Structure formats: structure tokens, C-alpha cells
Amino acid sequence: MDLGLAGKKAIVCASSKGLGRGCAEALAAAGVNLVMNARSDGPLRQAAEEIAAAHGVTVVPVAADITSEDGRAQVLDAAGEVDILVNNAGGPPPGMWYDWEREDFIRALDANMLTPIAMMKACLPGMMSRGWGRVVNITSQSVKAPIAVLGLSNSARAGLTGYVAGTARQVAGSGVTINNLLPGIHATDRAISLDTKVAQEQGISMEEAKAQRCTSIPAGRYGTAEEFGAACAFLCSQHAGFIVGQNILLDGGGVNMTL
Ligand code: NAP
């Protein structure tokens, strides 16, 4: 399927690895020029070079912390006018409800709610004035079904989801769509760190921790960054202009609900 995206420009935040990289790869495969971002310069440059070489698109790497005002300014300056914005950042650490103080919430809100909101506020006016734009926010299945130990993530992502629900409807008439992709467990570094914690706590191997987690996933496996990226690219495509303000689970059936 031709996604109709050749020659467009996208910012993909937090994209040297994992789900962000999957989105960057899939957009590049559709002919989209990229501004990629991550904090560590080396892996980011390598990912940018690999993607540019594989797909023949322009890729500008910007090494910066996207959760800081300065980092966002660097990314936005390097990008100029953009057609597509993929918001992403690392997730908050796990813990118990009594662990988290005000400062922990502020950090989580900054990273996983206020950062994507600031990026949208910066990019939406240009998209709207040009009559076309796509925003995809990477959130989490925890928006639909809380993961108790990820209370900071549950809270911050719920706030972003509420903002998107209203804002998506305010901008849709200008040809701009905003949607959220909700990953269940995917085979990335994030999954390795979650499984490592389970393995250490329960005194089991990584393979056992993974097999244990797979029993709660009807698909019987972890998702891949490639299939996540393909879903992102479709949401950014010309074919997805009538999908507005949705929260789309990619979880192998893990969240057990009808609607
Ligand atoms: P990952 O494999 O750990 O990759 C994270 C990427 O983001 C890396 O490129 C990292 O590079 C970059 N990054 C992290 N913090 C950043 C920051 N402050 N500024 C700029 N770049 C940053 O993570 P992932 O699994 O792809 O997860 C992506 C998001 O989806 C996270 O919010 C995660 O909580 C959420 N999620 C993931 C899963 C899953 O199973 N993987 C499930 C549910 C939700 P640097 O470290 O160099 O900055």
C-alpha cells in the first residue's frame, strides 16, 4: 500500500532504539525525511545513518533530552516546518504508591504529559495553516488497564490522553489528526529491564520471566518494534485522515476487554 507520505518531514522523538526507532524506520520506508532524537549521541547517529542509507531519505539526528525545554528547542529548530510528529520518551520507573512524592510526579508529568503537549503546541499551528498534519503519541496499555507498579506512568499518561481527546477534535477540521498508540509488552530494552527486575525478585531466569509474562498475552509473544512502526506509519498515512483522537492498543490481546 502506498501511504502517500513520500517527501513529507517528521520529527520522531526518542527514536535511536525501541518503539521510536520502529516508527522512524517505517516512516523512512514510506519516503519521509526525518529528524530523529535521543539523548546519547553515538547510538542516535548510528541509527540515523543506517536509516538514511537503507531508505534514501534525509535524516537529521539531534542528541538532546526531549523532556527539557532546551532539548525540545534544539529538535524543533533543526526540524523547521514538519508534517508529522511522533511523541515519545522513556517511561517513569516502577514502584509502590507510597514511594512517590510530589517531585516524582512532576518529573513523570514533565516527561510523559507536558513534553508531548509542548511539542504539539509548537507543531500544530504550522500543520493547521498548511491544512495537513499527523501526530502520534506513544503512550501505554496502562491508559486502558492500570499496571499497579507503574503508578507514575498511569497518572501522567492519563493526563496526556485527556488532553489529546479534546485537542484532537479542535484541530481535526484543519486536516490534522492526533491519535495515541498504546503498546503492550514489546521486545525492546524497556522489556528487558522489566523482565530483569522480575527475574531478580523471583529468583528465576530471564527466559522464565518472559515465558511467565507471555502466559497473559493471547498472541503468546512480545510485539516487535517493526509491527509497532508499521501501525504508526499507517496512522500517519493519507488513508488515516478520518481516524481522530483514538487510543489504539497494540498488545497481542493482553488487555482483556470488549470495547
Ligand atoms: P527503549 O527501548 O528503552 O527506547 C527508548 C528510546 O528513547 C531510546 O532511543 C532512548 O535513547 C530514548 N529516550 C529515552 N528517554 C529520552 C529522553 N528523555 N529524551 C530523548 N530520548 C530519550 O523504550 P521503548 O520500549 O521503545 O519504550 C518507548 C515508550 O513506550 C516508553 O515511554 C515506554 O514506557 C513505553 N512503553 C513501552 C512498552 C514496551 O513493552 N516496550 C510497553 C508500554 C509502554 P537515549 O537513552 O539515548 O535517550
Side-chain angles (χ1 to χ4, degrees):
M1 184 191 284
D2 178 4
L3 298 182
L5 294 177
K8 301 263 186 214
K9 194 200 295 175
I11 293 174
V12 186
C13 302
S15 55
S16 65
K17 297 181 190 166
L19 304 181
R21 173 154 182 173
C23 296
E25 288 268 6
L27 288 169
V32 177
N33 298 309
L34 300 176
V35 173
M36 289 174 65
N37 153 259
R39 291 163 302 183
S40 313
D41 192 41
L44 175 64
R45 269 180 197 285
Q46 189 180 337
E49 281 164 19
E50 287 169 2
I51 290 176
H55 303 291
V57 295
T58 304
V59 184
V60 177
V62 182
D65 184 343
I66 199 67
T67 68
S68 73
E69 206 172 325
D70 178 56
R72 288 190 291 277
Q74 287 183 49
V75 170
L76 290 163
D77 283 352
E81 287 185 353
V82 288
D83 309 293
I84 295 167
L85 168 65
V86 180
N87 277 315
N88 186 31
M96 289 295 288
W97 60 271
Y98 45 75
D99 293 332
W100 303 313
E101 302 299 340
R102 184 170 191 282
E103 287 315 309
D104 301 302
F105 282 101
I106 298 294
R107 261 194 299 279
L109 291 170
D110 262 340
N112 299 109
M113 177 185 171
L114 299 176
T115 288
I117 289 175
M119 293 299 289
M120 282 186 265
K121 282 189 77 177
C123 295
L124 285 172
M127 292 177 178
M128 292 168 77
S129 69
R130 293 186 294 279
W132 197 93
R134 299 282 186 263
V135 179
V136 174
N137 300 299
I138 301 180
T139 66
S140 171
Q141 71 175 20
S142 68
V143 168
K144 296 231 183 215
I147 300 170
V149 293
L150 294 179
L152 293 172
S153 171
N154 298 338
S155 307
R157 297 192 200 277
L160 175 64
T161 305
Y163 175 86
V164 165
T167 305
R169 288 161 172 91
Q170 289 180 318
V171 304
S174 301
V176 178
T177 70
I178 313 178
N179 292 287
N180 302 323
L181 280 180
L182 284 54
I185 194 79
H186 281 70
T188 68
D189 286 359
R190 171 84 170 168
I192 291 171
S193 83
L194 292 173
D195 286 344
T196 302
K197 195 156 190 288
V198 169
Q200 283 166 352
E201 279 171 7
Q202 298 184 17
I204 57 177
S205 69
M206 284 289 282
E207 289 67 33
E208 286 167 326
K210 193 171 171 187
Q212 185 174 293
R213 202 185 291 279
C214 280
T215 60
S216 64
I217 307 169
R221 64 175 177 86
Y222 288 11
T224 69
E226 290 75 18
E227 56 199 350
F228 190 90
C232 174
F234 178 76
L235 271 186
C236 294
S237 75
Q238 300 292 355
H239 312 295
F242 210 50
I243 303 176
V244 169
Q246 296 303 300
N247 291 283
I248 300 169
L249 270 170
L250 285 90
D251 69 340
V255 175
N256 190 34
M257 60 184 190
T258 304
L259 289 174

